[in-house]
Amino acid sequence: MQTDPNAHDMIEALLKETRTFPPTPAFAAQANAQPGIHEEAERDYLGFWRSWAEKLTWSKPFETVLEWNEPFAKWFGGGTLNASVNCLDRHVEAGRGGRIAFYFEGEPGDRRTITYAELLHDVCKLANGLRKLGVKRGDRVAIYMPMVPELPVALLACARIGAAHSVVFGGFSADSIVDRMKDAECVAIITTDQGWRRGKKVPLKATVDVALEQSPSVKHCIVSKRVGDPVAMRDGRDIWWNDLVRDEPATCAPEAMESEDLLFLLYTSGTTAKPKGIMHSTAGYLTGVTATTSLVFDLKESDIFWCTADIGWVTGHSYIVYGPLALGATGILYEGTPDFPEQDRFWEIVERYKATILYTAPTAIRAFMKWGREHVDKHDLSSLRLLASVGEPINPEAWMWYHDVIGGGNCPVVDTWWQTETGAIMIAPLPGITTLKPGSATRAFPGIVADVVDEEGKTVPLGGGGYIVIRQPWPSMTRGIYGDPQRFKETYWSKFEHLYLAGDGCHRDVDGDFWFMGRIDDVMNVSGHRISTAEVESALVDHHAVAEAAVVGKADDLTGQAIVCFVSLRSHSEPSAALNTELRQHVASKLGKFTMPKELTFTQELPKTRSGKIMRRLLRDIAEGRELGDTTTLADSSVVLDLQSRVQAASGKEE
Ligand code: WTA
């Protein structure tokens, strides 16, 4: 692949991987997905998706399956339904209200068990409270909370009254909240007084207060109590959750939503500084997440499912909230980090709740490997029967460690490739059918038509690499970028005719299995979080000392990629170690702590082409210590040589 200078190396490294793990007969016999399912979906792709949509509870059945007006899809037209009814009421009405929806474990060690009946009760009360405040069908509501039970309650209460939620990950800064709330014209925000992180209190409400100064559309701020320290409450705008719901009835008539009505927005980074409000529909999204939860995770009544993602990202939306709840599953909700108070916290949780399915990210697995297996060996993990991975390519060593040390060699490991935009898992093994290969996401989910194409959009023969594309619409696909249909077309549907462009590089082996190779655009993947280089650059130039900045992702053993910045200063500023730290902290305060750059190098000039385009490819070579690629198009080649020697000198110091 021409666009990624590393792609070639990555392909070769992966090709050396020849281990295979066919399903055991015992797992295969009991699996939800049985052989023939891919072929059946291929024969009748609309029929496959229709059958999954029919498993939902509808207030009015749908009439059509798909209307496709590229790139805008309408699935299950004519029907009405409510997502909260599908996640809650239908289980309670079937007499399963006493089933546990969530085992909640707080970071300080407090625990709660929440049944479906209790969840429905809480959702109805909050939904009534929101209605009382004037929040109505068609509105947007921002949610900025830690991983506490009130978070899924907030999502489902919005869904119940037909208001779209827009969850902003609790690690984001006030500025990031403002951008997202303004773009969506949110009418309310739901937050928490404070949260817990590694034993420290995180000031969520105070951050929201700063954001609200600049968010005129937001009329109400609902605050749930987690920590209990006093926080400022503004009269007429702020209200405690408990006060809001106290006198509300415990039942609430759900809105009958059209299939295509907006269920939620989730903002994600793209190649420009402005985050994109990814839109998801009600029926198509629910269909996609229920089908994949059932078939990829092989979810059963008896399972205890732990997806360790934060609900602030799409993985938490789809595989903590909507997929598992729609199937009536029992899940684990954990508030904290894997290393608090000790590095065995995850394994303690698996053991305590007898988790059967664990879904986590390669960056976490690599951290566990580094911490050592003694933390794992202290605990009985024999309840686990399936392991899964998401967020970035999983390297074969991490896959093997996950399989052998966490799974005791007894659990299939399913690597799941998908995106905020796809709503649900797209490429993944079906654990009772697919032969696993460490490092490969294997094959497309039934009903998903994926391909790898070259620069011209032509299918690359098996054994080659290129761009991953999707050839046919699917129910959980995004319905577009909020307020910007043009950008939606340009970003995903313009490079190749009639193909959805995901933006990832991918290689297929001779068996047709997919091996992902990372982004091909200017989006970095740091610990599974998508961060755009442009966003970090604009945070840097926002600082008064900075004239110009270029940002690239550098391969990192632990986080997948790390953020590396090259900065030229204004004439009145001088490079110094203090300014270096200050600038990196500036990024963290503008965008959120998790975006703190790992390295920053000062330079007089950035390497540019004669037309003035910054050559990121060369900066990546410099950051990763490679020999420089072609420099002939540079306006001034001394710039890169100078930079290269600075970076080498700096890394020499570290060693
Ligand atoms: C990357 C997260 C390789 C990829 C669900 C994608 C992966 C981006 C995998 C989406 C995987 C996610 N193997 N790469 N199994 N899963 N990615 O929107 O680059 O936060 O485009 O959705 O993460 O990130 P997002």
Side-chain angles (χ1 to χ4, degrees):
M1 259 187 29
Q2 295 160 346
T3 40
D4 184 348
N6 305 327
H8 186 65
D9 296 352
M10 287 169 157
I11 293 171
E12 293 206 336
L14 292 170
L15 276 181
K16 295 194 195 99
E17 182 52 63
T18 53
R19 288 168 285 201
T20 56
F21 296 83
T24 63
F27 197 102
Q30 60 81 58
N32 289 351
Q34 288 295 321
I37 190 168
H38 289 98
E39 295 75 11
E40 197 186 304
E42 221 166 283
R43 269 195 305 278
D44 181 9
Y45 130 94
L46 292 178
F48 173 80
W49 288 119
R50 189 201 317 115
S51 75
W52 277 96
E54 283 166 350
K55 297 190 207 324
L56 297 174
T57 296
W58 295 82
S59 38
K60 178 169 172 279
F62 56 89
E63 287 150 16
T64 57
V65 178
L66 170 66
E67 292 161 67
W68 181 225
N69 178 14
E70 188 185 310
F72 299 100
K74 287 191 177 149
W75 283 88
F76 314 122
T80 64
L81 76 173
N82 185 284
S84 79
V85 170
N86 274 278
C87 290
L88 304 170
D89 305 57
R90 64 167 170 171
H91 309 311
V92 176
E93 280 161 22
R96 296 145 49 87
R99 251 180 89 75
I100 290 164
F102 289 117
Y103 288 110
F104 168 68
E105 167 124 348
E107 195 190 76
D110 53 323
R111 289 169 205 140
R112 268 167 71 186
T113 301
I114 300 131
T115 65
Y116 275 90
E118 287 163 347
L119 201 54
L120 176 60
H121 171 272
D122 292 353
V123 165
C124 286
K125 289 195 92 147
L126 182 65
N128 288 326
L130 288 169
R131 272 192 183 141
K132 188 172 68 184
L133 292 176
V135 179
K136 55 185 193 312
R137 181 178 179 139
D139 284 343
R140 274 88 42 221
V141 174
I143 299 176
Y144 181 72
M145 295 174 86
M147 284 281 286
V148 291
E150 288 73 18
L151 175 53
V153 171
L155 271 69
L156 293 167
C158 290
R160 193 155 194 99
I161 63 169
H165 52 76
S166 169
V167 181
V168 181
F169 168 59
F172 272 117
S173 63
D175 282 355
S176 306
I177 307 174
V178 172
D179 292 346
R180 287 159 175 76
M181 290 203 301
K182 266 197 179 151
D183 188 72
E185 295 173 282
C186 290
V187 299
I189 181 164
I190 307 176
T191 189
T192 304
D193 54 350
Q194 292 178 306
W196 290 109
R197 192 161 179 86
R198 291 206 174 82
K200 294 214 180 76
K201 295 168 186 174
V202 185
L204 290 132
K205 172 65 165 62
T207 305
V208 167
D209 285 341
V210 175
L212 285 177
E213 296 300 321
Q214 302 165 64
S215 313
S217 62
V218 181
K219 301 286 177 265
H220 303 284
C221 174
I222 298 127
V223 189
S224 93
K225 195 171 275 180
R226 168 64 182 137
V227 173
D229 289 351
V231 294
M233 296 291 283
R234 180 180 293 183
D235 257 1
R237 185 194 70 187
D238 302 349
I239 180 164
W240 287 105
W241 174 310
N242 282 345
D243 294 338
L244 179 67
V245 305
R246 183 165 300 119
D247 299 325
E248 292 301 322
T251 57
C252 170
E255 289 286 333
M257 305 304 288
E258 308 270 332
S259 291
E260 281 299 316
D261 278 339
L262 186 64
L263 177 61
F264 67 86
L265 287 175
L266 189 57
Y267 282 80
T268 191
S269 293
T271 51
T272 71
K274 190 172 184 283
K276 301 175 287 204
I278 298 298
M279 302 199 284
H280 279 291
S281 71
T282 305
Y285 174 79
L286 282 178
T287 301
V289 296
T290 48
T292 49
T293 306
S294 169
L295 300 176
V296 176
F297 301 113
D298 192 47
L299 191 74
K300 307 277 201 302
E301 282 267 302
S302 49
D303 278 311
I304 311 286
F305 183 35
W306 188 17
C307 167
T308 70
D310 192 292
I311 294 174
W313 308 112
V314 74
T315 304
H317 281 60
S318 299
Y319 300 110
I320 296 177
V321 183
Y322 289 108
L325 293 180
L327 293 174
T330 296
I332 295 172
L333 192 68
Y334 171 52
E335 181 184 30
T337 58
D339 55 352
F340 189 85
E342 301 295 338
Q343 292 172 336
D344 67 342
R345 186 69 187 264
F346 267 32
W347 318 122
E348 188 188 291
I349 293 175
V350 167
E351 182 174 24
R352 174 171 313 118
Y353 300 104
K354 299 194 170 44
T356 58
I357 304 171
L358 179 68
Y359 191 26
T360 194
T363 186
I365 298 167
R366 289 192 297 265
F368 299 138
M369 290 170 75
K370 204 173 104 186
W371 297 341
R373 70 172 293 162
E374 61 270 25
H375 300 290
V376 183
D377 290 339
K378 275 194 255 169
H379 298 280
D380 175 9
L381 306 187
S382 60
S383 56
L384 289 170
R385 68 176 194 95
L386 185 133
L387 303 173
S389 169
V390 64
E392 54 178 314
I394 180 165
N395 39 313
E397 310 85 83
W399 194 103
M400 286 305 303
W401 192 90
Y402 198 25
H403 180 265
D404 292 345
V405 178
I406 304 304
N410 301 317
C411 306
V413 173
V414 295
D415 176 21
T416 65
W417 177 89
W418 58 296
Q419 309 178 290
T420 305
E421 295 86 337
T422 69
I425 292 166
M426 301 293 278
I427 313 270
L430 297 185
I433 304 176
T434 314
T435 292
L436 306 170
K437 298 174 183 169
S440 171
T442 72
R443 59 192 298 191
F445 188 77
I448 299 296
V449 187
D451 200 359
V452 173
V453 301
D454 64 15
E455 200 59 48
E456 271 75 55
K458 289 212 251 341
T459 298
V460 174
L462 295 187
Y467 300 90
I468 173 94
V469 295
I470 311 296
R471 292 198 169 275
Q472 303 239 37
W474 64 102
S476 66
M477 68 195 289
T478 175
R479 299 309 195 258
I481 299 174
Y482 191 73
D484 203 345
Q486 196 51 36
R487 188 170 171 207
F488 176 55
K489 282 187 194 165
E490 276 161 21
T491 309
Y492 305 100
W493 298 93
S494 65
K495 184 169 175 74
F496 304 119
E497 244 175 58
H498 310 311
L499 298 178
Y500 168 82
L501 177 77
D504 280 11
C506 188
H507 165 83
R508 233 171 349 172
D509 65 20
V510 288
D511 302 327
D513 284 327
F514 292 80
W515 300 75
F516 285 90
M517 306 186 309
R519 302 288 306 177
I520 41 124
D521 55 19
D522 292 328
V523 178
M524 299 170 287
N525 189 325
V526 181
S527 299
H529 303 324
R530 277 164 70 177
I531 302 170
S532 94
T533 54
E535 226 172 328
V536 178
E537 285 163 6
S538 61
L540 283 165
V541 295
D542 171 82
H543 190 283
H544 59 85
V546 175
E548 213 173 17
V551 170
V552 296
K554 165 186 172 171
D556 187 278
D557 281 349
L558 203 60
T559 56
Q561 280 191 305
I563 303 178
V564 177
C565 311
F566 297 89
V567 169
S568 71
L569 295 175
R570 291 180 183 221
S571 51
H572 58 76
S573 300
E574 286 296 324
S576 69
L579 184 60
N580 192 310
T581 308
E582 184 180 325
L583 291 178
R584 289 183 302 119
Q585 277 168 353
H586 185 70
V587 171
S589 74
K590 292 295 289 180
L591 302 175
K593 276 212 184 92
F594 66 101
T595 66
M596 171 86 119
K598 182 161 187 192
E599 290 168 24
L600 187 147
T601 304
F602 292 112
T603 172
Q604 294 284 334
E605 296 278 349
L606 293 169
K608 287 185 186 162
T609 61
R610 270 156 230 159
S611 64
K613 260 186 102 174
I614 294 172
M615 291 196 62
R616 285 208 177 64
R617 176 171 61 75
L618 290 177
L619 290 174
R620 270 196 294 269
D621 288 345
I622 292 173
E624 296 184 338
R626 265 192 307 276
E627 257 182 51
L628 294 181
D630 185 6
T631 57
T632 49
T633 51
L634 274 181
D636 176 0
S637 57
S638 69
V639 172
V640 291
L641 296 174
D642 176 53
L643 258 181
Q644 202 175 23
S645 60
R646 276 164 201 263
V647 170
Q648 276 165 1
S651 62
K653 248 184 269 152
E654 271 171 27
E655 283 160 15

